[in-house]
Amino acid sequence: MLRARPLHFTSRIEDWNRFLTALGLVLTEGDGGFRVFDSAAGRLVLHEVPDGDPRDGTTAFAVEVGDLAEFARRTNESAAGEGATPAELVTVDHGEACRITGPDGFSFLADPAAHGAQCADADPALAVVAVWFSPDPEAAARTLRHVGARPRPNPDNDETADFTAKNGGILMVRPASGQPRSGLGFEYDGGLEPLRERLAAAGFPAGVTEEAFGSTLHVGNPDAAVFAASVPATVWISERRAMG
């Protein structure tokens, strides 16, 4: 199995709790400083950190899988033709995991899934999107193929790549200069105006931007008070693109 499960660090966990609930995700694990939210496709974890923590307002690209050893074996077998072994079983502060490292030096964790089924009460149109910004997007895309992500058509230029995870969520590769980094967003399979109204009613006004291949909602980031270059001003929810 493979599911998108990015990890977001924040000192404003209650604001994020309200935002994700208004967006249509459902809290399925935890109620303190570690909370797991289900969408219809993919999960998002909130990890509370103190105000001023260098991780505050950042997101770690991450996935969850079934059997860690089997996932590592299959990933390395897929990459063997390149002479690469990108997956390594590791012990981290929260337990056993698998670390995947791309040719650009970017690494992310695959954690064992605590439960398999997505929450049926989540908004059925919403998906969690984890983004890998890389100076070598082609190599990053190959790594995601090795872990079992499924390519999907992308109308953008050749340096971008979109993938779906078999058990929910979307993984994206986007070109970027400098050090590789991760990002967070959402995708909505339907008209954005009702979602915009729902967010506004919950105290999260959003603006709609018309783009070449669809519309995108931009909502004020609950972490906006974190004054750091790595913290974006808004959280985006893109309209799912119909591929002709």
Side-chain angles (χ1 to χ4, degrees), residues 104-139:
D104 62 1
F106 182 82
S107 68
F108 61 93
L109 291 180
D111 285 310
H115 58 277
Q118 295 283 149
C119 179
D121 294 330
D123 186 325
L126 190 73
V128 174
V129 181
V131 188
W132 178 348
F133 293 100
S134 174
D136 190 351
E138 183 178 344

PDB file of all heavy atoms in Angstrom, residues 104-139:
ATOM      1  N   ASP A 104      18.800  13.876  -5.564  1.00  0.00           N
ATOM      2  CA  ASP A 104      19.086  15.274  -5.227  1.00  0.00           C
ATOM      3  C   ASP A 104      19.415  15.467  -3.750  1.00  0.00           C
ATOM      4  O   ASP A 104      19.641  16.588  -3.290  1.00  0.00           O
ATOM      5  CB  ASP A 104      17.921  16.177  -5.634  1.00  0.00           C
ATOM      6  CG  ASP A 104      16.623  15.842  -4.893  1.00  0.00           C
ATOM      7  OD1 ASP A 104      16.630  14.919  -4.052  1.00  0.00           O
ATOM      8  OD2 ASP A 104      15.591  16.494  -5.175  1.00  0.00           O
ATOM      9  N   GLY A 105      19.423  14.357  -2.979  1.00  0.00           N
ATOM     10  CA  GLY A 105      19.716  14.430  -1.553  1.00  0.00           C
ATOM     11  C   GLY A 105      18.491  14.576  -0.670  1.00  0.00           C
ATOM     12  O   GLY A 105      18.588  14.483   0.557  1.00  0.00           O
ATOM     13  N   PHE A 106      17.327  14.807  -1.269  1.00  0.00           N
ATOM     14  CA  PHE A 106      16.085  14.946  -0.513  1.00  0.00           C
ATOM     15  C   PHE A 106      15.680  13.586   0.042  1.00  0.00           C
ATOM     16  O   PHE A 106      15.736  12.575  -0.661  1.00  0.00           O
ATOM     17  CB  PHE A 106      15.000  15.473  -1.444  1.00  0.00           C
ATOM     18  CG  PHE A 106      13.662  15.708  -0.793  1.00  0.00           C
ATOM     19  CD1 PHE A 106      13.415  16.867  -0.083  1.00  0.00           C
ATOM     20  CD2 PHE A 106      12.638  14.777  -0.920  1.00  0.00           C
ATOM     21  CE1 PHE A 106      12.166  17.100   0.492  1.00  0.00           C
ATOM     22  CE2 PHE A 106      11.385  15.001  -0.353  1.00  0.00           C
ATOM     23  CZ  PHE A 106      11.160  16.164   0.353  1.00  0.00           C
ATOM     24  N   SER A 107      15.280  13.539   1.300  1.00  0.00           N
ATOM     25  CA  SER A 107      14.834  12.280   1.884  1.00  0.00           C
ATOM     26  C   SER A 107      13.496  12.472   2.578  1.00  0.00           C
ATOM     27  O   SER A 107      13.161  13.571   3.022  1.00  0.00           O
ATOM     28  CB  SER A 107      15.870  11.727   2.870  1.00  0.00           C
ATOM     29  OG  SER A 107      15.971  12.536   4.014  1.00  0.00           O
ATOM     30  N   PHE A 108      12.746  11.390   2.631  1.00  0.00           N
ATOM     31  CA  PHE A 108      11.458  11.421   3.317  1.00  0.00           C
ATOM     32  C   PHE A 108      11.200  10.060   3.935  1.00  0.00           C
ATOM     33  O   PHE A 108      11.836   9.057   3.580  1.00  0.00           O
ATOM     34  CB  PHE A 108      10.332  11.829   2.368  1.00  0.00           C
ATOM     35  CG  PHE A 108      10.109  10.912   1.189  1.00  0.00           C
ATOM     36  CD1 PHE A 108       9.178   9.880   1.256  1.00  0.00           C
ATOM     37  CD2 PHE A 108      10.818  11.089   0.008  1.00  0.00           C
ATOM     38  CE1 PHE A 108       8.961   9.044   0.173  1.00  0.00           C
ATOM     39  CE2 PHE A 108      10.607  10.256  -1.082  1.00  0.00           C
ATOM     40  CZ  PHE A 108       9.678   9.229  -1.013  1.00  0.00           C
ATOM     41  N   LEU A 109      10.257  10.037   4.876  1.00  0.00           N
ATOM     42  CA  LEU A 109       9.956   8.807   5.598  1.00  0.00           C
ATOM     43  C   LEU A 109       8.673   8.158   5.104  1.00  0.00           C
ATOM     44  O   LEU A 109       7.707   8.837   4.743  1.00  0.00           O
ATOM     45  CB  LEU A 109       9.821   9.082   7.092  1.00  0.00           C
ATOM     46  CG  LEU A 109      11.082   9.472   7.859  1.00  0.00           C
ATOM     47  CD1 LEU A 109      10.739   9.700   9.327  1.00  0.00           C
ATOM     48  CD2 LEU A 109      12.179   8.430   7.718  1.00  0.00           C
ATOM     49  N   ALA A 110       8.685   6.830   5.121  1.00  0.00           N
ATOM     50  CA  ALA A 110       7.478   6.032   4.988  1.00  0.00           C
ATOM     51  C   ALA A 110       7.223   5.398   6.347  1.00  0.00           C
ATOM     52  O   ALA A 110       8.087   4.685   6.872  1.00  0.00           O
ATOM     53  CB  ALA A 110       7.648   4.964   3.916  1.00  0.00           C
ATOM     54  N   ASP A 111       6.090   5.688   6.935  1.00  0.00           N
ATOM     55  CA  ASP A 111       5.714   5.128   8.226  1.00  0.00           C
ATOM     56  C   ASP A 111       4.682   4.031   8.036  1.00  0.00           C
ATOM     57  O   ASP A 111       3.917   4.046   7.067  1.00  0.00           O
ATOM     58  CB  ASP A 111       5.129   6.215   9.130  1.00  0.00           C
ATOM     59  CG  ASP A 111       6.176   7.147   9.694  1.00  0.00           C
ATOM     60  OD1 ASP A 111       7.170   6.641  10.233  1.00  0.00           O
ATOM     61  OD2 ASP A 111       6.004   8.381   9.592  1.00  0.00           O
ATOM     62  N   PRO A 112       4.619   3.083   8.960  1.00  0.00           N
ATOM     63  CA  PRO A 112       3.570   2.064   8.870  1.00  0.00           C
ATOM     64  C   PRO A 112       2.203   2.672   9.144  1.00  0.00           C
ATOM     65  O   PRO A 112       2.050   3.503  10.045  1.00  0.00           O
ATOM     66  CB  PRO A 112       3.962   1.051   9.950  1.00  0.00           C
ATOM     67  CG  PRO A 112       4.800   1.827  10.919  1.00  0.00           C
ATOM     68  CD  PRO A 112       5.518   2.867  10.121  1.00  0.00           C
ATOM     69  N   ALA A 113       1.218   2.286   8.360  1.00  0.00           N
ATOM     70  CA  ALA A 113      -0.134   2.819   8.526  1.00  0.00           C
ATOM     71  C   ALA A 113      -0.759   2.290   9.807  1.00  0.00           C
ATOM     72  O   ALA A 113      -0.721   1.088  10.077  1.00  0.00           O
ATOM     73  CB  ALA A 113      -0.994   2.448   7.325  1.00  0.00           C
ATOM     74  N   ALA A 114      -1.325   3.200  10.600  1.00  0.00           N
ATOM     75  CA  ALA A 114      -1.987   2.793  11.841  1.00  0.00           C
ATOM     76  C   ALA A 114      -3.324   2.120  11.552  1.00  0.00           C
ATOM     77  O   ALA A 114      -3.755   1.222  12.264  1.00  0.00           O
ATOM     78  CB  ALA A 114      -2.188   4.001  12.744  1.00  0.00           C
ATOM     79  N   HIS A 115      -3.998   2.565  10.498  1.00  0.00           N
ATOM     80  CA  HIS A 115      -5.242   1.933  10.076  1.00  0.00           C
ATOM     81  C   HIS A 115      -5.386   2.137   8.577  1.00  0.00           C
ATOM     82  O   HIS A 115      -4.824   3.075   8.008  1.00  0.00           O
ATOM     83  CB  HIS A 115      -6.457   2.496  10.828  1.00  0.00           C
ATOM     84  CG  HIS A 115      -6.649   3.966  10.697  1.00  0.00           C
ATOM     85  ND1 HIS A 115      -5.974   4.879  11.484  1.00  0.00           N
ATOM     86  CD2 HIS A 115      -7.425   4.703   9.873  1.00  0.00           C
ATOM     87  CE1 HIS A 115      -6.345   6.102  11.162  1.00  0.00           C
ATOM     88  NE2 HIS A 115      -7.215   6.032  10.175  1.00  0.00           N
ATOM     89  N   GLY A 116      -6.130   1.241   7.930  1.00  0.00           N
ATOM     90  CA  GLY A 116      -6.158   1.232   6.476  1.00  0.00           C
ATOM     91  C   GLY A 116      -7.211   2.099   5.829  1.00  0.00           C
ATOM     92  O   GLY A 116      -6.936   2.826   4.888  1.00  0.00           O
ATOM     93  N   ALA A 117      -8.442   2.026   6.315  1.00  0.00           N
ATOM     94  CA  ALA A 117      -9.550   2.687   5.626  1.00  0.00           C
ATOM     95  C   ALA A 117      -9.524   4.192   5.840  1.00  0.00           C
ATOM     96  O   ALA A 117      -9.169   4.682   6.913  1.00  0.00           O
ATOM     97  CB  ALA A 117     -10.875   2.117   6.117  1.00  0.00           C
ATOM     98  N   GLN A 118      -9.897   4.938   4.787  1.00  0.00           N
ATOM     99  CA  GLN A 118     -10.075   6.384   4.924  1.00  0.00           C
ATOM    100  C   GLN A 118     -11.410   6.660   5.619  1.00  0.00           C
ATOM    101  O   GLN A 118     -12.359   5.878   5.524  1.00  0.00           O
ATOM    102  CB  GLN A 118     -10.080   7.047   3.551  1.00  0.00           C
ATOM    103  CG  GLN A 118      -8.754   6.950   2.801  1.00  0.00           C
ATOM    104  CD  GLN A 118      -7.697   7.907   3.302  1.00  0.00           C
ATOM    105  OE1 GLN A 118      -6.531   7.599   3.246  1.00  0.00           O
ATOM    106  NE2 GLN A 118      -8.088   9.042   3.809  1.00  0.00           N
ATOM    107  N   CYS A 119     -11.490   7.790   6.303  1.00  0.00           N
ATOM    108  CA  CYS A 119     -12.709   8.146   7.020  1.00  0.00           C
ATOM    109  C   CYS A 119     -13.835   8.454   6.034  1.00  0.00           C
ATOM    110  O   CYS A 119     -13.687   9.309   5.153  1.00  0.00           O
ATOM    111  CB  CYS A 119     -12.445   9.345   7.916  1.00  0.00           C
ATOM    112  SG  CYS A 119     -13.890   9.884   8.831  1.00  0.00           S
ATOM    113  N   ALA A 120     -14.947   7.772   6.197  1.00  0.00           N
ATOM    114  CA  ALA A 120     -16.066   7.949   5.278  1.00  0.00           C
ATOM    115  C   ALA A 120     -16.753   9.298   5.446  1.00  0.00           C
ATOM    116  O   ALA A 120     -17.503   9.725   4.564  1.00  0.00           O
ATOM    117  CB  ALA A 120     -17.086   6.824   5.491  1.00  0.00           C
ATOM    118  N   ASP A 121     -16.499   9.992   6.569  1.00  0.00           N
ATOM    119  CA  ASP A 121     -17.151  11.277   6.819  1.00  0.00           C
ATOM    120  C   ASP A 121     -16.413  12.467   6.215  1.00  0.00           C
ATOM    121  O   ASP A 121     -16.901  13.588   6.252  1.00  0.00           O
ATOM    122  CB  ASP A 121     -17.295  11.505   8.329  1.00  0.00           C
ATOM    123  CG  ASP A 121     -18.240  10.510   8.981  1.00  0.00           C
ATOM    124  OD1 ASP A 121     -19.171  10.053   8.284  1.00  0.00           O
ATOM    125  OD2 ASP A 121     -18.033  10.168  10.159  1.00  0.00           O
ATOM    126  N   ALA A 122     -15.223  12.236   5.658  1.00  0.00           N
ATOM    127  CA  ALA A 122     -14.464  13.326   5.048  1.00  0.00           C
ATOM    128  C   ALA A 122     -15.128  13.757   3.744  1.00  0.00           C
ATOM    129  O   ALA A 122     -15.843  12.987   3.097  1.00  0.00           O
ATOM    130  CB  ALA A 122     -13.031  12.879   4.776  1.00  0.00           C
ATOM    131  N   ASP A 123     -14.902  15.018   3.347  1.00  0.00           N
ATOM    132  CA  ASP A 123     -15.441  15.516   2.084  1.00  0.00           C
ATOM    133  C   ASP A 123     -14.925  14.625   0.951  1.00  0.00           C
ATOM    134  O   ASP A 123     -13.707  14.522   0.746  1.00  0.00           O
ATOM    135  CB  ASP A 123     -14.973  16.959   1.865  1.00  0.00           C
ATOM    136  CG  ASP A 123     -15.604  17.618   0.647  1.00  0.00           C
ATOM    137  OD1 ASP A 123     -15.850  16.924  -0.359  1.00  0.00           O
ATOM    138  OD2 ASP A 123     -15.846  18.840   0.696  1.00  0.00           O
ATOM    139  N   PRO A 124     -15.815  13.972   0.211  1.00  0.00           N
ATOM    140  CA  PRO A 124     -15.369  13.008  -0.799  1.00  0.00           C
ATOM    141  C   PRO A 124     -14.617  13.626  -1.968  1.00  0.00           C
ATOM    142  O   PRO A 124     -14.002  12.905  -2.760  1.00  0.00           O
ATOM    143  CB  PRO A 124     -16.682  12.364  -1.271  1.00  0.00           C
ATOM    144  CG  PRO A 124     -17.737  13.384  -0.973  1.00  0.00           C
ATOM    145  CD  PRO A 124     -17.287  14.058   0.284  1.00  0.00           C
ATOM    146  N   ALA A 125     -14.641  14.948  -2.114  1.00  0.00           N
ATOM    147  CA  ALA A 125     -13.994  15.596  -3.251  1.00  0.00           C
ATOM    148  C   ALA A 125     -12.575  16.067  -2.940  1.00  0.00           C
ATOM    149  O   ALA A 125     -11.857  16.498  -3.845  1.00  0.00           O
ATOM    150  CB  ALA A 125     -14.836  16.781  -3.728  1.00  0.00           C
ATOM    151  N   LEU A 126     -12.163  15.994  -1.671  1.00  0.00           N
ATOM    152  CA  LEU A 126     -10.898  16.602  -1.266  1.00  0.00           C
ATOM    153  C   LEU A 126      -9.769  15.578  -1.191  1.00  0.00           C
ATOM    154  O   LEU A 126      -9.950  14.472  -0.684  1.00  0.00           O
ATOM    155  CB  LEU A 126     -11.052  17.269   0.100  1.00  0.00           C
ATOM    156  CG  LEU A 126      -9.883  18.150   0.535  1.00  0.00           C
ATOM    157  CD1 LEU A 126      -9.866  19.455  -0.256  1.00  0.00           C
ATOM    158  CD2 LEU A 126      -9.958  18.440   2.025  1.00  0.00           C
ATOM    159  N   ALA A 127      -8.592  15.963  -1.698  1.00  0.00           N
ATOM    160  CA  ALA A 127      -7.399  15.123  -1.621  1.00  0.00           C
ATOM    161  C   ALA A 127      -6.246  15.930  -1.053  1.00  0.00           C
ATOM    162  O   ALA A 127      -6.122  17.132  -1.299  1.00  0.00           O
ATOM    163  CB  ALA A 127      -7.030  14.595  -3.002  1.00  0.00           C
ATOM    164  N   VAL A 128      -5.380  15.260  -0.296  1.00  0.00           N
ATOM    165  CA  VAL A 128      -4.161  15.863   0.243  1.00  0.00           C
ATOM    166  C   VAL A 128      -3.057  15.760  -0.805  1.00  0.00           C
ATOM    167  O   VAL A 128      -2.886  14.732  -1.449  1.00  0.00           O
ATOM    168  CB  VAL A 128      -3.728  15.156   1.539  1.00  0.00           C
ATOM    169  CG1 VAL A 128      -2.374  15.674   2.021  1.00  0.00           C
ATOM    170  CG2 VAL A 128      -4.778  15.337   2.630  1.00  0.00           C
ATOM    171  N   VAL A 129      -2.298  16.853  -0.959  1.00  0.00           N
ATOM    172  CA  VAL A 129      -1.208  16.896  -1.940  1.00  0.00           C
ATOM    173  C   VAL A 129       0.116  17.164  -1.225  1.00  0.00           C
ATOM    174  O   VAL A 129       0.244  18.161  -0.513  1.00  0.00           O
ATOM    175  CB  VAL A 129      -1.443  17.996  -2.995  1.00  0.00           C
ATOM    176  CG1 VAL A 129      -0.304  18.000  -4.018  1.00  0.00           C
ATOM    177  CG2 VAL A 129      -2.791  17.807  -3.686  1.00  0.00           C
ATOM    178  N   ALA A 130       1.083  16.274  -1.415  1.00  0.00           N
ATOM    179  CA  ALA A 130       2.442  16.482  -0.920  1.00  0.00           C
ATOM    180  C   ALA A 130       3.325  16.839  -2.114  1.00  0.00           C
ATOM    181  O   ALA A 130       3.259  16.185  -3.155  1.00  0.00           O
ATOM    182  CB  ALA A 130       2.963  15.223  -0.233  1.00  0.00           C
ATOM    183  N   VAL A 131       4.146  17.878  -1.963  1.00  0.00           N
ATOM    184  CA  VAL A 131       4.942  18.386  -3.084  1.00  0.00           C
ATOM    185  C   VAL A 131       6.429  18.260  -2.774  1.00  0.00           C
ATOM    186  O   VAL A 131       6.880  18.606  -1.676  1.00  0.00           O
ATOM    187  CB  VAL A 131       4.608  19.862  -3.384  1.00  0.00           C
ATOM    188  CG1 VAL A 131       5.305  20.303  -4.675  1.00  0.00           C
ATOM    189  CG2 VAL A 131       3.107  20.077  -3.501  1.00  0.00           C
ATOM    190  N   TRP A 132       7.176  17.768  -3.757  1.00  0.00           N
ATOM    191  CA  TRP A 132       8.634  17.671  -3.694  1.00  0.00           C
ATOM    192  C   TRP A 132       9.200  18.680  -4.686  1.00  0.00           C
ATOM    193  O   TRP A 132       9.091  18.518  -5.893  1.00  0.00           O
ATOM    194  CB  TRP A 132       9.044  16.258  -4.053  1.00  0.00           C
ATOM    195  CG  TRP A 132      10.512  15.933  -4.091  1.00  0.00           C
ATOM    196  CD1 TRP A 132      11.570  16.788  -4.067  1.00  0.00           C
ATOM    197  CD2 TRP A 132      11.072  14.613  -4.189  1.00  0.00           C
ATOM    198  NE1 TRP A 132      12.751  16.104  -4.134  1.00  0.00           N
ATOM    199  CE2 TRP A 132      12.484  14.758  -4.213  1.00  0.00           C
ATOM    200  CE3 TRP A 132      10.516  13.334  -4.260  1.00  0.00           C
ATOM    201  CZ2 TRP A 132      13.340  13.665  -4.320  1.00  0.00           C
ATOM    202  CZ3 TRP A 132      11.365  12.251  -4.357  1.00  0.00           C
ATOM    203  CH2 TRP A 132      12.755  12.409  -4.385  1.00  0.00           C
ATOM    204  N   PHE A 133       9.770  19.765  -4.173  1.00  0.00           N
ATOM    205  CA  PHE A 133      10.432  20.764  -5.013  1.00  0.00           C
ATOM    206  C   PHE A 133      11.890  20.346  -5.175  1.00  0.00           C
ATOM    207  O   PHE A 133      12.603  20.181  -4.180  1.00  0.00           O
ATOM    208  CB  PHE A 133      10.357  22.148  -4.368  1.00  0.00           C
ATOM    209  CG  PHE A 133       8.968  22.718  -4.298  1.00  0.00           C
ATOM    210  CD1 PHE A 133       8.248  22.650  -3.111  1.00  0.00           C
ATOM    211  CD2 PHE A 133       8.393  23.320  -5.404  1.00  0.00           C
ATOM    212  CE1 PHE A 133       6.960  23.185  -3.032  1.00  0.00           C
ATOM    213  CE2 PHE A 133       7.116  23.859  -5.330  1.00  0.00           C
ATOM    214  CZ  PHE A 133       6.395  23.785  -4.155  1.00  0.00           C
ATOM    215  N   SER A 134      12.342  20.193  -6.421  1.00  0.00           N
ATOM    216  CA  SER A 134      13.664  19.629  -6.649  1.00  0.00           C
ATOM    217  C   SER A 134      14.409  20.344  -7.772  1.00  0.00           C
ATOM    218  O   SER A 134      13.815  20.698  -8.790  1.00  0.00           O
ATOM    219  CB  SER A 134      13.543  18.142  -7.002  1.00  0.00           C
ATOM    220  OG  SER A 134      14.799  17.596  -7.356  1.00  0.00           O
ATOM    221  N   PRO A 135      15.728  20.507  -7.620  1.00  0.00           N
ATOM    222  CA  PRO A 135      16.529  21.017  -8.734  1.00  0.00           C
ATOM    223  C   PRO A 135      16.719  19.959  -9.824  1.00  0.00           C
ATOM    224  O   PRO A 135      17.204  20.269 -10.920  1.00  0.00           O
ATOM    225  CB  PRO A 135      17.867  21.378  -8.072  1.00  0.00           C
ATOM    226  CG  PRO A 135      17.940  20.496  -6.870  1.00  0.00           C
ATOM    227  CD  PRO A 135      16.532  20.325  -6.399  1.00  0.00           C
ATOM    228  N   ASP A 136      16.367  18.719  -9.531  1.00  0.00           N
ATOM    229  CA  ASP A 136      16.450  17.615 -10.494  1.00  0.00           C
ATOM    230  C   ASP A 136      15.099  16.899 -10.536  1.00  0.00           C
ATOM    231  O   ASP A 136      14.958  15.777 -10.035  1.00  0.00           O
ATOM    232  CB  ASP A 136      17.562  16.649 -10.088  1.00  0.00           C
ATOM    233  CG  ASP A 136      17.881  15.619 -11.166  1.00  0.00           C
ATOM    234  OD1 ASP A 136      17.120  15.548 -12.159  1.00  0.00           O
ATOM    235  OD2 ASP A 136      18.879  14.898 -11.013  1.00  0.00           O
ATOM    236  N   PRO A 137      14.070  17.548 -11.116  1.00  0.00           N
ATOM    237  CA  PRO A 137      12.725  16.972 -11.069  1.00  0.00           C
ATOM    238  C   PRO A 137      12.607  15.624 -11.764  1.00  0.00           C
ATOM    239  O   PRO A 137      11.804  14.783 -11.353  1.00  0.00           O
ATOM    240  CB  PRO A 137      11.851  18.036 -11.743  1.00  0.00           C
ATOM    241  CG  PRO A 137      12.795  18.883 -12.523  1.00  0.00           C
ATOM    242  CD  PRO A 137      14.080  18.862 -11.780  1.00  0.00           C
ATOM    243  N   GLU A 138      13.390  15.397 -12.798  1.00  0.00           N
ATOM    244  CA  GLU A 138      13.324  14.105 -13.487  1.00  0.00           C
ATOM    245  C   GLU A 138      13.751  12.973 -12.563  1.00  0.00           C
ATOM    246  O   GLU A 138      13.105  11.920 -12.508  1.00  0.00           O
ATOM    247  CB  GLU A 138      14.207  14.142 -14.732  1.00  0.00           C
ATOM    248  CG  GLU A 138      14.141  12.859 -15.556  1.00  0.00           C
ATOM    249  CD  GLU A 138      14.977  12.928 -16.816  1.00  0.00           C
ATOM    250  OE1 GLU A 138      15.365  14.042 -17.225  1.00  0.00           O
ATOM    251  OE2 GLU A 138      15.259  11.861 -17.397  1.00  0.00           O
ATOM    252  N   ALA A 139      14.827  13.180 -11.818  1.00  0.00           N
ATOM    253  CA  ALA A 139      15.284  12.159 -10.883  1.00  0.00           C
ATOM    254  C   ALA A 139      14.301  11.979  -9.728  1.00  0.00           C
ATOM    255  O   ALA A 139      14.066  10.854  -9.265  1.00  0.00           O
ATOM    256  CB  ALA A 139      16.670  12.527 -10.343  1.00  0.00           C
TER     257      ALA A 139
END
